[in-house]
Amino acid sequence: MKKLPLLKAFLLILALTSFISKPEINSTNSWIRINLLGYQPKATKVAIWATKTTQVPDKFELIDQSGKVVYTSTTIKSFGAYGPFTATARLNFSGFKTPGKYFIRIAEVKSPEIIIDDEVYRHTADFALRYMRQQRSGFNPYLRDSCHTHDGYVLYGAKAGIKDSTHMDASGGWHDASDYLQYSTTSANATYHLLMAYRDFPQAFADTKQANGLDGKNGMADVLDEAKWGLDWLQKMHPKDNIMFNQLADDRDHISMRIPKEDSQYGKGFERPLYYIDGEPQQRGKFMNNTKGTSSTAAKFTSAFALGSKIFASADETYAQKLSKKALSALAYANLKKGVTQTVSVKSPYIYAEDNWVDDMELAYASMPLVEEKTWRKNEGIAFDYAKQETITPWLTKDTANHYQYYPFVNIGHYELAKNSHQYKQKVVNYYKQGIEQVWERAQKNAFYRGVPFIWCSNNLTVAFAQQCMWYKQLSGDESFTELEQANFDWLFGCNPWGTSMVYGLPSWEDTPTDPHSAFTHLKNYPIDGGLVDGPVYTSIYKNLIGIQLTKPDAYADFQSDLAVYHDDYGDYSTNEPTMDGTASLIYLLAAYDSRTKTIPKEFQSLQGAIIRGKTTEKKIALVFTGDEFADGGDSINKTLVDENVKASFFLTGRFYGKPKNRKLIQALKANGNYLGPHSNAHLLYNDWTKRDSLLVSELQFKTDLIWNYSAMEKFGIRMDSAKYFLPPYEWYNQQIADWTSQMGLQLINFTAGTRSNADYTYPELGKSYRSSEEIYKSILEYNKSKPDGLNGFILLLHIGTDPRRTDKFYDRLPELIKYLKTSGYELVKINELLKVER
């Protein structure tokens, strides 16, 4: 018993000693890493606690601009050491969704400013597009000067009967990175990403540049101008059926840094070597590559040409047909000798050591329906055969890989095949899941959820992995990896050990690269806006690279570790050099995030993802007219609207917009201030009449058709960004159609049920479906009188024309209807006014 007081004293001393020895939480040894661009309200929102002490907080606060605590959370998941940090933790504030500007506070430690808003990624894809324009070879719009206009002279062309040093025009395209080499593989992949970005998210892109990249609109989204720049060069690299080039210039480019027009590295003035694809290993100097075939590069040509032919079909049919022929000849070239084509190096051992090719063949065959739709069944099976040969992109299963060993870094073929093949979709989607699970096995062990290996161009892999997670969720509906996807996106914009964005100038108000490995910045102080830099590498890789020497004190010295390094220093070409193809992939990802689904306001009624009624608290009605085949009521309707000083909304198909006889009517409707929108291009039936969930179109068919509808509208000066409401053909759709519409940055709408107005197209021969104009008119009046909210917020649908077999035209009673609605106190407004949300 006498020992008890001594024991208590000992325990008290031990506790006090432990308390005193704990390092304090302060801003000199602890940091909070966030996505510096910001977070969308509905998205997963996680910040990272990183400290060189052992302390992990038990709560954190979100503070608004006035200093008020608006959110407190204990949702903290603790992890151990990572990189330079002794302790790390994930701070989850996903539950806070109020738009605004805030910061996280833990004791003395404050995060950078946190922005929460739906529009945080708006225009970011176009910002990154600046770097692509700056990378142009031939005429460079940034420099307003031309370079490499004499390219190039052929090497290894014997199989095509071309003598070495024969000149062939290869001017154009993009410089690959901060050097001026140009590769078909990266250029074709970049081109495909730009085309895909426009196809999937066209609303994310503006038209502020001409085709040559200089200021000025040309009626085409800037991303398509850039994609066409790539396509035009790829055609030069595949000028004939039996000629294809893999590379323009080589590593002699690295002799010195210079502005592009000063390039003279190859002993032939400004003319650079063109490396022909012969399917055999090629050697220059003392290095031999491991080429085994023609497939990897030629298949990338195929998919880029095929998608380009579809995208440009409505704008330039002749150009599209040319691309279709190129796609077919490139596919034939891919089959000349099955295997991979690698790049060539003369002075150093560094090449793009691509080692896989079946993924490229899968995408090529999955793209063939864009060129030859009738052969889809055959090509679908071939594509799946290739998919089975590489179910998981190999780097996903590894901690390391050679430079560009598995390229592209994401298997786009799986995505395209799954979208368009009911037969193979589930199997291919599962391949994606298996790859994600491999990365997740590594990622779940650290607070940053980092499972991407720190090899050269690790940021490119990060973008690719985020794409795969996003596509898997889209295709499967499984949201298990949403937080993992967001973590990879956040990593790129500051939620990483170094606390910096990996994109030059984005965001402009926070820490981004300032001293990249680039002649533009190093020699002339030109900004390289939008360029995605290579990203951190394993420290072991960094220490063994040739010719790296930092030029100034390391601003991130506190955050380097034995695991990985990143330097914002011109002297480090391994972590801080921007790449053209990585930036193109990022453009797709930014466009996707910019186009995420926005919540339908609660005051509106919706069904299957479409808004079907506005606010029932306001006496407003939108008169909506749809049109495809017939336009007989157009002039009468237009006159009535003018006489009654009323504006309406017209949703017309591409076929309607394209008919010369409708041109004057459309111009008059637009001039009179009405809303003009899309109704599909070819008036497709999207889903089965009896089984609503049974789709009759693929995602590709849906989006391509809708893009063509907008292309027809653009001829009347109506752009997608000014006509974001879409009314589906037949007024029939399902949730999947609504989701695809939302991915394009558009909002699906439909008429408000309850009256017979939408039956004004019927004619007596339809039997029981027929409704007379009197019956339709009475149904509107009866609904207004019998319902507590009357017609408040109604989307009242009529048709601009009907089949000649209907002689009882309801549009003849439009003056009477409008007078009744006005007398009843309703304000007749356009659809964008009916669905306007006050912020």
Side-chain angles (χ1 to χ4, degrees):
M1 294 294 292
K2 293 181 180 180
K3 292 182 180 180
L4 187 58
L6 292 174
L7 178 61
K8 286 183 177 180
F10 173 75
L11 292 175
L12 179 61
I13 293 170
L14 181 63
L16 289 171
T17 303
S18 299
F19 177 78
I20 294 169
S21 65
K22 282 186 177 180
E24 294 183 2
I25 295 178
N26 61 63
S27 57
T28 63
N29 56 24
S30 304
W31 300 265
I32 299 170
R33 301 307 197 200
I34 66 165
N35 183 325
L36 300 170
L37 260 183
Y39 304 84
Q40 291 169 322
K42 290 172 57 181
T44 299
K45 295 182 284 294
V46 175
I48 303 298
W49 168 258
T51 180
K52 294 192 175 184
T53 74
T54 58
Q55 291 197 330
V56 174
D58 54 11
K59 72 173 184 177
F60 64 93
E61 299 171 325
L62 203 61
I63 314 296
D64 69 12
Q65 290 182 301
S66 70
K68 178 183 177 182
V69 177
V70 295
Y71 184 77
T72 301
S73 177
T74 58
T75 308
I76 299 173
K77 186 175 182 180
S78 180
F79 290 81
Y82 184 78
F85 307 116
T86 307
T88 53
R90 294 180 64 78
L91 316 176
N92 195 314
F93 56 106
S94 301
F96 186 79
K97 296 179 170 61
T98 305
K101 294 182 178 181
Y102 312 92
F103 63 87
I104 289 174
R105 183 176 65 194
I106 298 172
E108 296 180 14
V109 183
K110 293 170 57 177
S111 73
E113 184 177 70
I114 295 171
I115 303 173
I116 300 176
D117 193 86
D118 272 325
E119 302 294 320
V120 286
Y121 309 131
R122 193 75 184 111
H123 306 302
T124 54
D126 269 338
F127 183 85
L129 202 58
R130 295 183 190 181
Y131 182 71
M132 299 299 294
R133 279 192 293 272
Q134 195 177 56
Q135 288 297 102
R136 286 192 184 189
S137 185
F139 178 72
N140 187 294
Y142 184 86
L143 298 174
R144 293 178 176 267
D145 203 350
S146 296
C147 64
H148 302 125
T149 56
H150 295 88
D151 291 330
Y153 63 92
V154 178
L155 296 175
Y156 295 103
K159 282 191 176 181
I162 308 173
K163 294 181 179 180
D164 277 5
S165 295
T166 299
H167 175 82
M168 297 195 76
D169 178 20
S171 180
W174 299 292
H175 302 129
D176 195 57
S178 293
D179 46 35
Y180 304 129
L181 285 78
Q182 296 178 233
Y183 299 113
S184 295
T185 50
T186 54
S187 295
N189 183 45
T191 300
Y192 193 92
H193 269 86
L194 297 179
L195 290 167
M196 185 170 56
Y198 179 77
R199 180 197 67 191
D200 293 351
F201 315 108
Q203 79 295 337
F205 300 98
D207 173 22
T208 63
K209 302 293 180 182
Q210 303 173 57
N212 62 5
L214 296 177
D215 291 344
K217 297 182 178 182
N218 66 342
M220 182 181 291
D222 296 337
V223 69
L224 284 188
D225 289 327
E226 211 57 40
K228 188 175 184 300
W229 188 264
L231 286 169
D232 289 348
W233 184 72
L234 291 175
Q235 290 181 77
K236 290 184 176 183
M237 297 294 277
H238 181 40
K240 296 181 180 180
D241 290 355
N242 67 329
I243 300 175
M244 185 177 287
F245 300 109
N246 192 53
Q247 179 176 330
L248 174 59
D250 53 48
D251 65 325
R252 284 173 285 179
D253 175 279
H254 301 158
I255 293 172
S256 66
M257 275 285 183
R258 67 260 172 234
I259 295 301
K261 67 177 181 178
E262 300 168 0
D263 203 357
S264 180
Q265 310 287 86
Y266 299 92
K268 287 178 65 67
F270 291 92
E271 193 174 10
R272 301 185 296 171
L274 268 171
Y275 289 88
Y276 177 83
I277 298 175
D278 59 7
E280 305 294 336
Q282 294 178 355
Q283 181 175 8
R284 298 292 296 175
K286 59 183 179 180
F287 298 104
M288 179 82 76
N289 68 19
N290 195 30
T291 292
K292 295 179 179 178
T294 61
S295 305
S296 58
T297 299
K300 291 183 182 74
F301 274 81
T302 302
S303 51
F305 287 144
L307 184 54
S309 71
K310 198 70 171 181
I311 296 293
F312 285 99
S314 59
D316 189 338
E317 186 176 352
T318 300
Y319 185 71
Q321 289 175 352
K322 186 177 180 181
L323 292 176
S324 293
K325 292 178 181 178
K326 289 288 185 183
L328 292 171
S329 65
L331 184 60
Y333 208 99
N335 281 293
L336 285 177
K337 185 178 181 182
K338 301 291 182 61
V340 69
T341 305
Q342 293 189 347
T343 64
V344 173
S345 184
V346 175
K347 298 178 68 64
S348 71
Y350 304 139
I351 62 169
Y352 285 177
E354 188 170 0
D355 214 17
N356 61 334
W357 56 274
V358 296
D359 57 332
D360 300 307
M361 294 294 279
E362 178 188 353
L363 179 58
Y365 278 100
S367 300
M368 277 296 99
L370 302 172
V371 178
E372 295 180 317
E373 190 169 351
K374 294 180 180 179
T375 65
W376 169 236
R377 288 300 172 196
K378 173 186 174 184
N379 290 320
E380 175 187 31
I382 297 173
F384 183 64
D385 285 342
Y386 281 115
K388 290 187 295 184
Q389 294 179 53
E390 187 178 283
T391 58
I392 302 174
T393 302
W395 76 260
L396 295 167
T397 68
K398 302 175 182 294
D399 286 324
T400 189
N402 291 327
H403 191 42
Y404 277 61
Q405 184 175 2
Y406 307 113
Y407 188 77
F409 303 118
V410 61
N411 188 326
I412 309 173
H414 284 356
Y415 176 55
E416 297 299 332
L417 183 58
K419 285 195 306 177
N420 297 301
S421 173
H422 296 294
Q423 183 178 1
Y424 301 121
K425 177 179 178 179
Q426 192 55 51
K427 291 181 180 178
V428 175
V429 170
N430 195 48
Y431 296 159
Y432 268 164
K433 183 179 183 181
Q434 292 170 19
I436 294 169
E437 287 173 336
Q438 292 284 331
V439 176
W440 176 233
E441 180 62 28
R442 302 189 295 268
Q444 63 184 311
K445 297 174 183 177
N446 65 80
F448 290 96
Y449 280 179
R450 185 68 181 172
V452 174
F454 291 112
I455 58 177
W456 260 7
C457 297
S458 64
N459 282 340
N460 294 12
L461 272 67
T462 303
V463 172
F465 183 66
Q467 282 179 287
Q468 181 159 328
C469 291
M470 178 179 67
W471 287 340
Y472 170 72
K473 180 171 62 178
Q474 175 187 327
L475 292 166
S476 68
D478 180 5
E479 299 186 0
S480 301
F481 304 109
T482 297
E483 189 170 342
L484 177 61
E485 173 198 331
Q486 186 72 43
N488 278 268
F489 184 78
D490 294 346
W491 175 279
L492 297 169
F493 293 101
C495 202
N496 54 59
W498 301 269
T500 183
S501 167
M502 299 289 173
V503 182
Y504 189 103
L506 190 65
S508 61
W509 57 88
E510 284 290 358
D511 189 56
T512 78
T514 58
D515 188 23
H517 185 75
S518 168
F520 275 78
T521 54
H522 186 66
L523 299 179
K524 298 290 186 178
N525 291 319
Y526 295 148
I528 54 167
D529 288 350
L532 174 69
V533 297
D534 280 339
V537 299
Y538 287 120
T539 304
S540 58
I541 290 179
Y542 175 76
K543 288 181 177 179
N544 286 288
L545 291 174
I546 301 169
I548 288 185
Q549 185 174 356
L550 299 187
T551 62
K552 60 187 179 184
D554 183 5
Y556 300 109
D558 287 343
F559 311 117
Q560 314 299 3
S561 69
D562 291 337
L563 174 64
V565 298
Y566 167 77
H567 302 106
D568 184 15
D569 191 304
Y570 165 79
D572 181 2
Y573 61 79
S574 68
T575 70
N576 204 34
E577 181 178 7
T579 62
M580 173 273 299
D581 62 312
T583 302
S585 300
L586 178 67
I587 287 168
Y588 180 90
L589 193 63
L590 287 170
Y593 273 60
D594 180 21
S595 306
R596 277 177 164 173
T597 304
K598 294 179 176 60
T599 304
I600 295 175
K602 293 180 180 179
E603 56 264 45
F604 300 154
Q605 292 181 14
S606 63
L607 178 68
Q608 296 268 338
I611 298 176
I612 59 171
R613 189 171 185 175
K615 299 176 183 177
T616 57
T617 56
E618 296 180 352
K619 290 184 74 66
K620 293 182 179 180
I621 294 175
L623 290 178
V624 168
F625 297 87
T626 62
D628 175 40
E629 186 178 359
F630 305 108
D632 48 286
D635 291 335
S636 172
I637 293 168
N638 183 51
K639 183 178 184 304
T640 298
L641 295 175
V642 171
D643 290 345
E644 295 294 335
N645 193 27
V646 165
K647 304 292 187 289
S649 303
F650 294 82
F651 291 88
L652 311 171
T653 65
R655 295 191 301 203
F656 191 103
Y657 282 107
K659 289 180 181 178
K661 67 178 182 180
N662 294 337
R663 186 170 184 82
K664 287 186 179 180
L665 170 62
I666 295 169
Q667 290 173 332
L669 292 172
K670 183 172 183 285
N672 292 334
N674 298 292
Y675 183 99
L676 273 71
H679 192 46
S680 85
N681 189 63
H683 208 255
L684 304 176
L685 180 61
Y686 292 149
N687 45 304
D688 190 273
W689 285 110
T690 57
K691 297 180 180 179
R692 191 165 191 164
D693 289 338
S694 179
L695 285 169
L696 302 177
V697 296
S698 68
E699 180 181 357
L700 179 61
Q701 289 173 308
F702 168 79
K703 290 183 176 179
T704 301
D705 176 81
L706 191 49
I707 286 172
W708 285 352
N709 194 169
Y710 276 105
S711 295
M713 292 164 58
E714 285 183 359
K715 295 176 181 177
F716 294 91
I718 307 167
R719 288 183 52 81
M720 183 178 287
D721 56 8
S722 63
K724 291 192 172 184
Y725 294 104
F726 167 50
L727 204 154
Y730 299 102
E731 293 75 61
W732 189 239
Y733 65 97
N734 60 22
Q735 184 65 52
Q736 183 63 77
I737 296 299
D739 290 344
W740 287 343
T741 302
S742 181
Q743 288 168 18
M744 297 179 71
L746 308 173
Q747 176 59 58
L748 196 68
I749 64 166
N750 204 12
F751 67 89
T752 309
T755 76
R756 300 290 190 178
S757 71
N758 60 303
D760 67 336
Y761 74 93
T762 59
Y763 45 87
E765 286 81 354
L766 291 177
K768 294 182 180 181
S769 299
Y770 174 68
R771 296 289 181 269
S772 69
S773 292
E774 179 63 20
E775 186 178 356
I776 293 170
Y777 189 80
K778 285 183 177 179
S779 75
I780 297 172
L781 270 60
E782 288 172 2
Y783 192 98
N784 182 46
K785 293 175 181 177
S786 64
K787 301 297 180 181
D789 297 321
L791 297 168
N792 290 2
F794 242 63
I795 301 174
L796 194 66
L797 186 139
L798 303 164
H799 291 83
I800 197 170
T802 66
D803 190 289
R805 285 172 286 185
R806 182 183 182 99
T807 57
D808 177 20
K809 307 289 189 178
F810 185 74
Y811 52 72
D812 289 336
R813 299 192 68 170
L814 184 61
E816 180 184 0
L817 175 63
I818 290 177
K819 286 183 173 64
Y820 169 78
L821 294 174
K822 284 182 174 180
T823 302
S824 300
Y826 290 104
E827 180 184 359
L828 301 180
V829 298
K830 295 183 289 186
I831 192 70
N832 56 322
E833 296 168 338
L834 182 77
L835 304 181
K836 184 177 181 181
V837 179
E838 299 295 337
R839 286 186 176 270

